[in-house]
Amino acid sequence: ENPYETGMAFTLHTGLYCDVVMDDQRELLVRNAHAEPEWCANPDLKHGMSFYFGSPLNWPDGEIFGTICVLDTQAQNNAERYRGLLPEFGRVIDSDLKLLVEIAEREHLAAELKKSNDELEQRVAERTGELTIAIAELRARELEIQEVNTTLRVLLNRVEKSRAEAEEQIVQNVNDLVIPLVEKIRAQSRTTELQTHLSLLEASLRKIASSLS
């Protein structure tokens, strides 16, 4: 009958067999604790466990995990048999411990990857928001430029129209007012020199009017 209940806990460094196994990292065989003074105060004796054989269990990095051991209420003369069995069980547990470490490392890596992915998605979202704002500002700026261009075209059209109207008015004034006046003055002039100058003036005015029309 097993005197140890499920979930029962023991305080380490209180004289347990397992304390020596874990502290010294070695196998321990106690055939009869009642016959060995160093084990008389062993807490396991309260449960009648006078026989003990155990070996250490370590994590893959060498840190102590615990022990794998056999306890009994009476001495065992065939303890050598356990020396062959416990290492086999120990190797199974070692494999499980390695698997646990690998699982923990994978979970840690997965968590780091998820964290990195979340941060990347956050940066992408922030950058996307910044680009969206920048694009909206550029579009607004483009509309402003289009409006300015439209206004400039209207102003240029008005300037061109005003210039054409002014030139037309100048041509009309030259033809209707200035040239007739020059012709009248020339007809009334009495000197050949003055008539010649007036003829040159009239020719120049007609050339100017022709270039503007």
Side-chain angles (χ1 to χ4, degrees):
E1 182 179 355
N2 186 358
Y4 300 108
E5 298 179 0
T6 302
M8 182 180 292
F10 291 87
T11 303
L12 296 177
H13 305 296
T14 57
L16 294 168
Y17 302 119
C18 293
D19 287 337
V20 174
V21 175
M22 291 187 291
D23 291 343
D24 296 346
Q25 287 282 293
R26 63 178 178 84
E27 290 184 351
L28 175 65
L29 173 62
V30 180
R31 296 183 183 276
N32 184 0
H34 295 292
E36 300 183 29
E38 64 179 299
W39 297 110
C40 291
N42 183 358
D44 286 312
L45 287 178
K46 296 178 181 180
H47 303 283
M49 298 300 170
S50 59
F51 173 84
Y52 177 89
F53 178 72
S55 60
L57 293 173
N58 296 314
W59 289 101
D61 63 358
E63 184 180 353
I64 189 68
F65 170 76
T67 66
I68 181 170
C69 55
V70 177
L71 294 97
D72 203 343
T73 57
Q74 54 187 352
Q76 296 290 333
N77 295 323
N78 57 349
E80 293 300 325
R81 178 167 60 96
Y82 298 125
R83 279 201 166 93
L85 292 176
L86 287 186
E88 293 295 328
F89 289 117
R91 280 190 286 272
V92 173
I93 296 174
D94 286 341
S95 298
D96 291 340
L97 292 177
K98 290 179 181 178
L99 180 60
L100 288 175
V101 171
E102 290 178 0
I103 291 173
E105 290 176 348
R106 290 176 183 175
E107 289 178 346
H108 176 72
L109 179 59
E112 289 296 321
L113 288 175
K114 184 179 183 303
K115 179 181 178 182
S116 298
N117 185 63
D118 291 343
E119 291 176 351
L120 179 59
E121 288 182 351
Q122 179 65 26
R123 289 197 294 270
V124 170
E126 292 174 356
R127 186 56 178 164
T128 300
E130 293 173 356
L131 289 175
T132 300
I133 294 173
I135 290 172
E137 291 176 349
L138 287 174
R139 288 177 176 173
R141 183 64 175 171
E142 183 180 0
L143 290 175
E144 291 177 358
I145 293 173
Q146 289 177 353
E147 291 177 357
V148 170
N149 288 337
T150 300
T151 302
L152 287 175
R153 282 194 295 270
V154 171
L155 290 175
L156 288 174
N157 289 335
R158 289 180 179 177
V159 170
E160 184 64 25
K161 183 179 180 181
S162 297
R163 185 184 67 81
E165 291 176 350
E167 290 177 352
E168 183 179 353
Q169 185 64 44
I170 291 172
V171 171
Q172 184 177 353
N173 290 339
V174 168
N175 290 330
D176 295 347
L177 300 176
V178 178
I179 291 178
L181 180 60
V182 171
E183 290 176 344
K184 183 178 179 180
I185 295 173
R186 185 181 60 189
Q188 294 177 354
S189 66
R190 295 180 180 181
T191 66
T192 302
E193 184 180 359
L194 179 58
Q195 289 179 352
T196 300
H197 288 309
L198 290 173
S199 294
L200 291 175
L201 176 61
E202 180 182 351
S204 297
L205 290 172
R206 290 185 183 279
K207 185 177 181 179
I208 292 173
S210 177
S211 65
L212 293 176
S213 59

